[in-house]
Amino acid sequence: MNLYKKTVNGLKWSFIGVFGNTLLQIISGIVLARLLLPSDFGLYAMAFAVLAISRSIIDSGLYQALIQKKEATLVDFSLVFHFNIFISITISTLLLILSSKIEIFYGQNGIGPIIKFISLIVLIDSFSLIQRAKLIKDIRFQRIAIIEATAKLCSLTISIIMAYNNYGVWSLLVKDLLFSFITTTMYWVLDPVKILLRVPYYKIKELYAKKS
């Protein structure tokens, strides 16, 4: 398949993936809205804001530089993997330490344990970024669409079952955790990327230069 056809096919599957995930989200959202209380969604929104900020910090780093680099090497992928793990551990640790402070900031009792739970999702996310970056670089959006749709369907199904059994806000939180865990597992099983245990960390400057 030439580059043009590969690109067109990739864009098609990217659209299918976005549309499919959005449709699943809408349908599950309608079901969950009937099973959960408004207060559950309020707590989840507070927690998701923290999760979104944490993810943006990780995604805006070397992950984007890796995607932009035309000829990424094994060293580049290994550097980004090590860097993402370090950043995610740092952010997760900060969330654990500051969970009580965040609870005070929100003025909402019970958000502290939820923030600690969110820190686990941040950590899991970091293990799948290089696989996703490689698939994007190879214009293999079909694989991304299939993996994420599978993970979305499984996680939403469990979320609805938990909501039906009165688990409240935790049914929404477990949904995000399962989505991260399933996607990470599938990326590693279906598209493993070799990682060097020892890397020349000084080369991080080259990736940052590429990003800028």
Side-chain angles (χ1 to χ4, degrees), residues 13 18 35 58 65 69 79 82 107 120 125 149 153 156 188 210:
W13 275 101
V18 172
L35 296 174
I58 298 173
K69 189 171 183 180
L79 272 172
H82 284 245
L120 180 59
D125 278 348
L153 182 60
L156 286 174
W188 275 102
K210 178 64 180 177

Side-chain angles (χ1 to χ4, degrees), residues 62-85 126-138 188 191-201 203-204 207:
L62 296 181
Y63 168 72
Q64 294 296 334
L66 183 62
I67 293 175
Q68 294 169 15
K69 189 171 183 180
K70 291 183 178 180
E71 297 181 1
T73 65
L74 175 60
V75 171
D76 293 324
F77 278 96
S78 300
L79 272 172
V80 174
F81 179 79
H82 284 245
F83 182 80
N84 284 340
I85 295 299
S126 64
F127 282 89
S128 63
L129 287 176
I130 58 167
Q131 283 84 359
R132 198 174 195 279
K134 189 173 188 307
L135 289 173
I136 292 174
K137 289 176 68 65
D138 294 340
W188 275 102
D191 292 277
V193 177
K194 185 178 180 181
I195 299 298
L196 299 173
L197 294 179
R198 299 181 63 182
V199 292
Y201 293 105
K203 287 185 174 290
I204 287 179
L207 281 172

Side-chain angles (χ1 to χ4, degrees), residues 71-120:
E71 297 181 1
T73 65
L74 175 60
V75 171
D76 293 324
F77 278 96
S78 300
L79 272 172
V80 174
F81 179 79
H82 284 245
F83 182 80
N84 284 340
I85 295 299
F86 171 75
I87 293 297
S88 66
I89 290 175
T90 301
I91 294 175
S92 297
T93 302
L94 286 174
L95 291 177
L96 289 173
I97 294 173
L98 299 175
S99 59
S100 59
K101 300 294 183 182
I102 295 174
E103 183 172 88
I104 294 173
F105 172 78
Y106 275 129
Q108 179 67 52
N109 293 331
I111 195 82
I114 292 175
I115 297 301
K116 292 179 180 179
F117 185 84
I118 288 295
S119 68
L120 180 59

Side-chain angles (χ1 to χ4, degrees), residues 14-47:
S14 179
F15 172 78
I16 292 173
V18 172
F19 178 79
N21 285 333
T22 301
L23 183 61
L24 283 174
Q25 196 71 41
I26 292 173
I27 294 173
S28 64
I30 294 173
V31 176
L32 289 171
R34 297 181 63 86
L35 296 174
L36 299 174
L37 299 173
S39 58
D40 294 326
F41 287 101
L43 277 173
Y44 175 73
M46 295 178 190

